[in-house]
Amino acid sequence: MGYANPSQTSHGIHIRQYSRTFIVGDNGNKTRVVFVNVDACMLSQGVKLEVIKRLKALYGNLYNERNVCISGIHTHSGPGGFHQYLLYDITSLGFVKESFEPLVAGITESIRKAHESIQPGNIYTNNGELLDSNINRSPTSYLNNPAAERKKYNYDVDKNMTVLKFVDANNKGIGMISWFAVHCTSMNNTNGYISSDNKGYAAQLFELKMNKGALMGEGPFVAAFAQSNEGDVSPNTKGPKCIDTGKPCDTPTSTCNGRNEQCIASGPGKDMFDSTRIIAQNQYNKALELYNSATVKINGPVDFRHTYVDMTNVRVKVNSTTTVKTCKPAMGFAFAAGTTDGPGAFNFKQGSNKTNLFWDFIRDFLHTPSPEQEACHDPKPILLDTGEITRPYLWQPTIVDTQIFRIGQLAIIAVPAEFTTMSGRRMRNAVESALKAGGLPKDTISVIAGLSNDYADYVATFEEYQKQRYEAASTIYGPYTLQAYIQEFTKLATDLTTGTASPPGPNPPDLISKQLAFLPPVIYDTSGSRNYGDVTLDAEASYKPNTTVTVKFVGANPRNDIKLGKTFLTVERKEANGTWTVVVTDSTWETKFHWQSSGVFFLGESEVTIIWDIPVSQQSGTYRIQYFGDHKSITGTITPFTGTSKEFTVTASRR
C-alpha cells in the first residue's frame, strides 16, 4: 500500500509492523489522551471506527474517537486493502480482511496493554536539527510559495526533530516519541517484502537498545518514530536522475526525454535495504541524542478537542471581501504520474495543467466532471472525479477527523492527510498563535502528527496547487484545502483555550459491511510427494559472522495464519543443557521470510525460504532455524506444522 502499483505484491516479511501506544493522563486522572503510532502506510477511517467499537466494549466511553489518535508512519511496504473508501483499495484488488483485521486487533491490543501499564511518571521534551536525511521532491512547487515566507526558513524541508521522553516515578525511561518529516519510501516499488521502512527500523534500533536481551516487541520500553508534514519530503537524498542516462531529470516535470518512468530518486545506500538502514540510523542517532539530553519538563493540563468536518463544504474567508468554498474530492492528471520516489506509468507528467484527449475519454467512461467541479478545482485538470461518483460506494472521504491534543505546553495537531512542508509550517504557526492568544504559555510548541485517524490524500498550499505536481494533484478538496484545514484547526485550538466543547460534527459513514473483495482466498495447499515442513535446502555445517544462512522448506500459504503476535520463523541457539533459546524472529532486520507458490489462484505447492544474515557481533555457538506454517486442506481445515533445519555452528573469529 502506497505506490498504487498493482504489480507490487507481497512475497514475505523483512521487518514486521507494530502498533505502539502512549496514554497520557493529567495528575487528577480526569482526562486522558491516547496516541497510537502504527507501522502502516496510513490510517483508514474504517480501521479507527472499528478500533473505537472494540475499545468501547472494553472500557465504555473512557477511550473514544475524540481522545484517541491513531497515526501511520507511511511505510509503502505494508499490506493494502484495509480502507473503506474504494480508490485506496483498487490496486490491492479490493478489501482484504487479512489486512484489516490484524490492524484493528493489533492496535486494540496495544491500547489494552498500555492501559494495563499506566503508572505515575513525567514527560520531558527536546528538539534538534537532523541533516542528510530528507530532501524536497517537488522543489519547483515549494519555490512558488512567497519569497518572504521562504526566507523565514533555512531549508525547503523541515529538518527539526521533536522528541518526548517518558520516565516513571523513579526517573527510569519507559518510552519515547520522535516526530520527523520524511517519507517511508526508502524501500522502493520493486520491493516485495513487508517492511516498516526507515521509521520502523529506527524504532527497532531504539527499543533493542533500551530493552537489553529482549526479543523484538517483547520489552517494556516503547519507542515510536512518528510521521509529520512529509507530503513533499523524500528520504532518497541522492535526488532524482534519469536511470537510462544518469543525467538530471527535467525538474518541473520530473521526466527524462518526456517520460516520467525513467526519473527515479535514490537513497544514500548501495541499494534500497542499505538506504533504509542509513535513514533509520540517522533518525535513531538523533532521537537518542535528544532523548538523553532532554531536560525541559512538560507541565500543565491534558486536554483534547475533536470535530468531524465535511471537507467538501467548508466556506473559507480568504480576505475581507472574498469567501470561497472547498470542493468535492477529485484527483488530477499529475496524480497518475507518481513521484520521483515511485513514478507512475502511461506517460503522465507532473506539473501539467493540461488534459489529454485519450485519458479524457477514459475518465469520462467512469464519470464526466460537472462544470461546477472543474471550476472548483481549477487549475487542476481532473483525471478521477471521485467526489461525484458514489457507485458502488464512496471513492474518497468527505467527512474527516480534525483533532488536537494538549499535553502541557505541547500541542499535537492530528491531521488526516499528508501536508507538504510549507502547509505544515502554516498550520503549526496558526495553531500556536491561537493557543498563545488564548492564554497558553509562550513556550507552547506544536507538532504535526501526519496521516492520523483517516486518509484524505495530500494538502498543498494555494501557491503550490498552481504548479500541479503530484502533491497538488492529490489535494482532493481543491485549491483552498489548506486554508479550510487551518480554519477548522484554529477553531479547535480556540475551544481548547476557552474550555469550550467542540461540536461533534457530522458522523462519517461506516462502509466496512459494503466492501468489495476480489483477491482470491486460499483454496487449499498441497505438498506434492513430500511433507509440510520438509527441508529442501538445508544449512551448511558452519558459518562465520557477516555471512548468510539460507534454508528452504516445503511450505504453505502464510495467509492461513498471519501469526499476529507470533512469528513464521525463529533462529535458535543451543544452550549447554541442550535446550534452545530463540535469538531472533521474523520481526528483526537480519532475517527475511520469503514465500513462493508454484500454483495459481492460491492453489498449489509453496516453497518458503528463510534467510539469516548473521550479525558481525553474533555469539559463537550451535544454531538451528525453525519455520512455523499452517496448511489448508481441501475441506477447509487449517493445520499447523513445523520445519527444522539441521544444527549448524557459528564461529566468531578473534581479532
Side-chain angles (χ1 to χ4, degrees):
M1 177 62 200
Y3 288 114
N5 183 349
S7 66
Q8 188 190 18
T9 55
S10 171
H11 58 224
I13 297 176
H14 183 207
I15 46 179
R16 271 190 182 255
Q17 301 165 278
Y18 283 92
S19 172
R20 297 171 169 91
T21 295
F22 301 78
I23 300 177
V24 181
D26 58 14
N27 286 330
N29 203 25
K30 294 180 180 178
T31 305
R32 290 183 180 181
V33 294
V34 182
F35 182 79
V36 188
N37 197 59
V38 183
D39 292 344
C41 190
M42 68 281 286
L43 248 291
S44 87
Q45 198 170 65
V47 167
K48 182 176 180 182
L49 291 173
E50 183 60 29
V51 167
I52 296 302
K53 285 181 188 176
R54 298 188 188 187
L55 291 176
K56 287 184 176 180
L58 291 171
Y59 306 111
N61 203 43
L62 180 62
Y63 304 123
N64 54 62
E65 62 270 27
R66 315 293 174 188
N67 69 342
V68 173
C69 171
I70 311 176
S71 180
I73 65 169
H74 206 39
T75 174
H76 283 46
S77 291
F82 56 86
H83 284 269
Q84 72 166 0
Y85 296 107
L86 183 69
L87 181 66
Y88 310 126
D89 283 346
I90 288 176
T91 55
S92 59
L93 301 183
F95 185 75
V96 181
K97 184 179 179 181
E98 293 93 338
S99 292
F100 179 83
E101 176 57 31
L103 273 173
V104 171
I107 291 167
T108 305
E109 175 64 9
S110 75
I111 295 172
R112 186 197 67 79
K113 291 172 73 173
H115 174 83
E116 295 297 325
S117 64
I118 288 175
Q119 59 185 300
N122 290 299
I123 307 173
Y124 297 87
T125 186
N126 202 357
N127 66 83
E129 196 173 77
L130 172 58
L131 303 179
D132 303 320
S133 300
N134 59 0
I135 63 170
N136 196 305
R137 68 185 188 188
S138 287
T140 54
S141 292
Y142 180 86
L143 288 172
N144 211 44
N145 291 306
E149 183 179 33
R150 288 186 280 112
K151 284 181 180 179
K152 298 176 182 177
Y153 306 97
N154 294 327
Y155 307 101
D156 61 0
V157 294
D158 282 344
K159 303 288 186 179
N160 190 65
M161 176 183 283
T162 299
V163 161
L164 293 185
K165 176 180 182 178
F166 296 82
V167 300
D168 64 15
N170 297 315
N171 210 37
K172 179 184 177 182
I174 57 175
M176 187 281 304
I177 307 177
S178 154
W179 282 277
F180 180 72
V182 64
H183 255 81
C184 284
T185 49
S186 294
M187 300 295 289
N188 63 42
N189 64 8
T190 67
N191 171 51
Y193 287 109
I194 291 170
S195 169
S196 49
D197 211 280
N198 56 65
K199 287 188 178 291
Y201 185 42
Q204 290 204 7
L205 290 171
F206 210 109
E207 289 179 349
L208 289 171
K209 178 177 178 60
M210 305 304 287
N211 296 316
K212 296 291 187 183
L215 292 174
M216 187 60 231
E218 294 188 3
F221 191 97
V222 179
F225 282 74
Q227 196 53 270
S228 192
N229 51 317
E230 45 52 76
D232 53 357
V233 187
S234 170
N236 295 311
T237 53
K238 287 183 180 177
K241 285 187 172 56
C242 297
I243 59 173
D244 53 348
T245 65
K247 295 180 180 180
C249 306
D250 176 68
T251 301
T253 61
S254 295
T255 57
C256 301
N257 295 317
R259 299 193 65 84
N260 72 313
E261 296 93 332
Q262 301 297 316
C263 179
I264 298 177
S266 58
K270 63 180 183 292
D271 57 29
M272 60 180 167
F273 291 95
D274 196 37
S275 293
T276 300
R277 179 190 61 80
I278 292 169
I279 300 300
Q281 190 80 45
N282 290 352
Q283 291 181 79
Y284 159 71
N285 289 341
K286 175 55 69 170
L288 183 62
E289 172 196 322
L290 295 173
Y291 176 89
N292 287 334
S293 58
T295 57
V296 177
K297 189 175 180 180
I298 296 288
N299 289 297
V302 174
D303 207 349
F304 59 89
R305 290 296 183 274
H306 174 282
T307 295
Y308 286 122
V309 175
D310 182 352
M311 281 298 294
T312 68
N313 192 31
V314 179
R315 296 191 175 277
V316 183
K317 190 172 184 179
V318 293
N319 56 47
S320 59
T321 59
T322 305
T323 299
V324 295
K325 192 177 84 67
T326 52
C327 315
K328 294 179 181 178
M331 304 295 283
F333 269 64
F335 150 74
T339 72
T340 54
D341 289 337
F346 304 113
N347 204 29
F348 286 94
K349 297 179 182 179
Q350 295 196 67
S352 175
N353 289 347
K354 299 179 181 178
T355 62
N356 173 291
L357 289 176
F358 173 76
W359 289 109
D360 278 351
F361 173 78
I362 299 297
R363 174 200 66 191
D364 293 347
F365 180 77
L366 290 172
H367 187 274
T368 303
S370 66
E372 294 79 12
Q373 181 80 324
E374 289 185 326
C376 190
H377 281 273
D378 185 67
K380 177 199 292 179
I382 295 174
L383 177 64
L384 293 174
D385 185 20
T386 53
E388 294 185 323
I389 307 175
T390 58
R391 299 188 311 269
Y393 41 84
L394 292 177
W395 282 48
Q396 288 181 297
T398 57
I399 298 169
V400 303
D401 295 69
T402 60
Q403 184 182 54
I404 297 179
F405 285 174
R406 180 190 177 186
I407 304 175
Q409 66 267 40
L410 172 71
I412 300 175
I413 308 166
V415 299
E418 303 182 57
F419 278 51
T420 63
T421 299
M422 195 62 85
S423 292
R425 289 168 175 172
R426 291 182 188 177
M427 175 64 79
R428 288 197 304 265
N429 291 340
V431 169
E432 288 182 21
S433 295
L435 292 173
K436 293 174 184 177
L440 265 64
K442 297 302 180 184
D443 62 349
T444 295
I445 59 173
S446 66
V447 294
I448 299 287
L451 304 115
S452 293
N453 300 319
D454 191 4
Y455 185 64
D457 290 270
Y458 281 74
V459 179
T461 68
F462 177 85
E463 295 83 0
E464 292 164 351
Y465 190 90
Q466 309 309 307
K467 289 295 184 180
Q468 278 303 299
R469 283 180 59 84
Y470 176 84
E471 296 81 12
S474 304
T475 297
I476 64 175
Y477 303 118
Y480 299 101
T481 298
L482 174 61
Q483 289 96 319
Y485 273 121
I486 289 175
Q487 174 179 288
E488 297 307 310
F489 275 92
T490 300
K491 291 178 183 177
L492 295 181
T494 302
D495 289 345
L496 262 177
T497 63
T498 60
T500 304
S502 297
N507 287 328
D510 187 343
L511 304 174
I512 296 303
S513 63
K514 299 182 178 181
Q515 294 302 301
L516 299 177
F518 298 102
L519 185 70
V522 180
I523 308 302
Y524 65 90
D525 296 288
T526 61
S527 60
S529 60
R530 297 170 297 189
N531 295 317
Y532 293 104
D534 281 357
V535 177
T536 59
L537 175 67
D538 216 334
E540 297 175 10
S542 63
Y543 296 87
K544 292 185 180 297
N546 205 30
T547 59
T548 300
V549 184
T550 301
V551 183
K552 296 186 177 183
F553 300 88
V554 177
N557 196 305
R559 289 175 66 196
N560 293 327
D561 182 354
I562 56 87
K563 307 292 184 187
L564 183 65
K566 297 180 286 187
T567 181
F568 285 107
L569 69 90
T570 55
V571 177
E572 302 173 5
R573 185 179 62 247
K574 195 172 189 178
E575 303 297 345
N577 62 2
T579 60
W580 292 90
T581 299
V582 176
V583 177
V584 292
T585 66
D586 65 10
S587 298
T588 45
W589 178 264
E590 58 261 35
T591 62
K592 295 184 181 74
F593 172 82
H594 187 278
W595 169 77
Q596 184 175 357
S597 174
S598 62
V600 294
F601 298 115
F602 305 103
L603 171 67
E605 297 181 34
S606 295
E607 180 180 69
V608 163
T609 303
I610 293 175
I611 299 168
W612 181 37
D613 294 320
I614 305 173
V616 174
S617 60
Q618 191 64 44
Q619 178 182 334
S620 294
T622 299
Y623 291 82
R624 71 180 184 186
I625 289 175
Q626 288 203 295
Y627 158 49
F628 305 97
D630 303 84
H631 67 86
K632 185 176 184 180
S633 72
I634 196 168
T635 62
T637 302
I638 295 176
T639 305
F641 64 90
T642 302
T644 306
S645 76
K646 71 181 182 184
E647 298 178 12
F648 57 91
T649 60
V650 174
T651 306
S653 58
R654 293 185 177 181
R655 296 183 180 179

